[in-house]
Amino acid sequence: MTAADPPEISDYGLLSDCHSAALVSSHGSVDWWSLPRFDSPAVFGRLLDPSAGHWSITVAGDHTATRDYVGDSLVLRTVLRTATGAVAVTDALALRPGSRGHEIGFDAPHTLLRTVEGLDGTVTVAVEVAPRLEYGLTEPRWRRDGPSWVARAGPVGLRLTDDSELTATGGTLTGRYPVAAGQRVRFRLAFEPPYGPAARGGPEPSVHDTLEAWHSWAALHRGYRGRYLPAVHRSALVLQGLTYQRSGAVVAAATTSLPEQLGADLNWDYRFAWLRDVSLTMQALWVAACPDEAGRFFDWIADAIGPLGGAPLQIMFGVTGERDLTEHELDHLAGHRDSRPVRVGNDAWRQRQLDVLGEVLFAAELLRERIGDLSDATRELLVSLADQAADSWRLPDSGMWESREHPRHYTSSKVMCWVALDRAVRLAGTLGVPDRADVWAAARDEIHATVLRRAWCERIGAYAGAFDSDRLDASVLLLPLVGFLPAGDPRMLATIEAVRDRLADGPLVRRWYGDTAAFVASGFWLVECLALAGRVDEAGALFADLLGRGNDLGLFAEEIDPATGRQLGNHPQAFSHVGLINAAWRLTEATAAGGGPRPA
């Protein structure tokens, strides 16, 4: 590959300051940075259109690129090697100077740090800083302000401080110069409010301090001692990087509108927090991080939902609890590899998804030791969610795959209503409503019997994705994972085999027959099901195969095309890394090799 080729989705590495994210290609171009929040407009958006902004640091001529994160951090080091020598480019989204451990990310300086270091010989380096604000709508103009370059336009101000000689042409800064072994060139690009005086004072953020901050966080999260330890630790860092630290919300992905199918319109904004993902995410945080992360996430959920008053539970929120996530299209952007439309916002927030009731109560039961410390309002919320599951489980909904067609009676939705009631029965005393346990238990048992009767399809010999259907769906792999049925139950085993035979290509599992690509998380669910069924060697082989499908940094997008191996969808995807952590833990438990804290 050369720097001129359009990068694949898997070519990008993640940078994060726990407020926002940037994606940098293996050849040194930052092609995505939305600031000051994950869901803010991008100032570098070349990921979605060639003209939507970038910051490239490239080398002249043919070269190779190798990269890795520095230790247990999200500081990325890329080595670019040419015929005349080699340079290393170290990239980081700065954390607040001096922040350590659980403090990292609460305040972010919104600063992108890039350092070029000469390793061997002399290499000619070309720098191009071309921000295009508001997803490429606005081209700023650069002007000198003492030792810095400043660009302001609309709602964004940028200040670039550097050790090099750059030239401004309109909205682009360029420079070209040799870097010799031992020489360092540093760049610091900071967000500034466009109106009023810029904040000054205090220590400047640095790569070294940011690296120390990440290492201090990682040092507190060593409880997991099971199989596939490096991959689990890396995935824990990815989940932390996708956490908006001020609230504890975990966004589904760092990006919007990366396509599930190239050239098609399955392009969605995933920079929000879904309750759909919460139970498995909570379990992963418990396994790979620590109860502090899981507890803060649950506190955010309770605050975001607020009093229901009988209204249906909203399925997703902005990172500080915003409810209105109305979707619109950015018609001026061509989309990633001409995949239109580019969408901002996500109208799935309007859908009814009954599974979220179970997601929240599953999460609450994982943290049962903290329930007694929760506020009266939060305990009342959990009671109302259980009551809503008992009252509404018979209704059709949009399902966990967020179908935009007619609502149906999805099996996974009914099962998660069962989960809501099952966990509520366990928590009834702690919640202060022991008299509700019998009512909830009766509804739970009715759901269980109905699912066994109406979801089983004799024609396909498996549990179907919806009641009275003959359509197989990977979501039924969740039944053993939430305790609805043992993996060794004959009908469940038949279902697992049906998924392997008809939806899977090795470890890659499509959500349904005819799906455009394999959903990464469902491959990890298959691993868990096999491990729970006692087929540990098979599960381990599938896990190892799927692990090898990540990119060179161990990052996973949402989907993988089984035919080409190409990663598709938004990147990196939290749910994929949640699946990895939980599958590694399940394999560890199945082989009795330890595994650290137990989430359930």
Side-chain angles (χ1 to χ4, degrees), residues 130-436:
R132 300 295 183 262
L133 313 181
E134 294 186 272
Y135 303 109
L137 280 176
T138 304
E139 179 177 336
R141 287 194 175 275
W142 292 99
R143 64 175 178 81
R144 271 291 185 184
D145 182 17
S148 302
W149 288 96
V150 175
R152 290 195 174 95
V156 173
L158 297 171
R159 178 177 295 271
L160 178 71
T161 305
D162 65 290
D163 297 334
S164 66
E165 292 295 327
L166 298 175
T167 301
T169 304
T172 302
L173 294 174
T174 58
R176 186 180 178 91
Y177 40 84
V179 177
Q183 183 181 358
R184 281 187 174 86
V185 183
R186 298 177 179 84
F187 301 89
R188 185 173 63 246
L189 182 63
F191 168 81
E192 289 187 347
Y195 303 105
R200 292 288 186 269
E204 292 287 356
S206 70
V207 171
H208 175 76
D209 185 79
T210 296
L211 186 60
E212 290 297 307
W214 279 113
H215 285 168
S216 71
W217 183 89
L220 296 178
H221 300 87
R222 296 296 189 187
Y224 182 80
R225 290 290 183 267
R227 300 176 66 180
Y228 311 103
L229 191 63
V232 169
H233 282 171
R234 174 55 52 201
S235 291
L237 282 161
V238 171
L239 292 182
Q240 179 63 19
L242 294 175
T243 299
Y244 186 76
Q245 188 71 340
R246 283 187 175 176
S247 66
V250 181
V251 297
T255 56
T256 180
S257 298
L258 293 186
E260 297 178 24
Q261 181 181 9
L262 293 182
D265 63 354
L266 300 175
N267 318 316
W268 314 109
D269 194 346
Y270 276 11
R271 298 170 298 162
F272 309 111
W274 266 257
L275 299 189
R276 176 199 65 197
D277 305 348
V278 68
S279 62
L280 298 179
T281 300
M282 192 76 71
Q283 181 169 300
L285 289 171
W286 190 281
V287 168
C290 71
D292 286 352
E293 273 72 22
R296 291 192 64 244
F297 191 18
F298 183 76
D299 289 342
W300 169 81
I301 291 168
D303 289 342
I305 294 171
L308 280 176
L313 177 61
Q314 185 163 319
I315 70 163
M316 57 190 289
F317 297 88
V319 295
T320 55
E322 296 87 350
R323 289 175 172 268
D324 187 344
L325 308 177
T326 299
E327 182 180 299
H328 66 279
E329 297 179 2
L330 302 180
D331 294 333
H332 65 286
L333 295 179
H336 180 78
R337 296 193 172 212
D338 296 319
S339 301
R340 297 188 185 208
V342 172
R343 294 182 172 95
V344 172
N346 195 314
D347 277 344
W349 74 275
R350 305 176 189 273
Q351 293 182 349
R352 178 193 296 274
Q353 292 181 25
L354 296 174
D355 61 297
V356 297
L357 302 167
E359 302 284 358
V360 176
L361 277 151
F362 186 111
E365 206 268 337
L366 286 178
L367 295 174
R368 53 191 173 273
E369 293 182 359
R370 292 187 65 232
I371 294 296
D373 298 329
L374 297 179
S375 67
D376 291 343
T378 300
R379 289 196 296 272
E380 289 171 7
L381 170 65
L382 296 175
V383 171
S384 69
L385 294 181
D387 286 339
Q388 191 169 122
D391 293 339
S392 62
W393 71 268
R394 297 177 184 83
L395 297 175
D397 73 338
S398 298
M400 68 177 300
W401 305 131
E402 297 174 358
S403 170
R404 298 197 176 195
E405 299 175 353
H406 296 298
R408 299 186 67 189
H409 292 282
Y410 289 100
T411 301
S412 58
S413 297
K414 311 304 183 185
V415 168
M416 292 309 295
C417 285
W418 176 90
V419 169
L421 293 161
D422 182 68
R423 274 44 172 194
V425 169
R426 301 185 199 179
L427 293 171
T430 306
L431 294 173
V433 287
D435 56 309
R436 301 294 297 156

Side-chain angles (χ1 to χ4, degrees), residues 10 545-557 560 565 567 577:
S10 60
D545 191 347
L546 186 51
L547 198 61
R549 309 298 180 103
N551 74 0
D552 57 316
L553 297 172
L555 303 182
F556 286 90
I560 297 174
Q567 293 206 32
H577 288 274

Side-chain angles (χ1 to χ4, degrees), residues 21-22 33 80 82 85 90 188 199 226 254 296 304 437 482 489 528 537 598:
W33 187 22
L80 304 172
T82 74
T90 303
R188 185 173 63 246
R296 291 192 64 244
V482 298
D489 174 89
E528 286 196 72
D537 290 343
R598 297 175 60 90

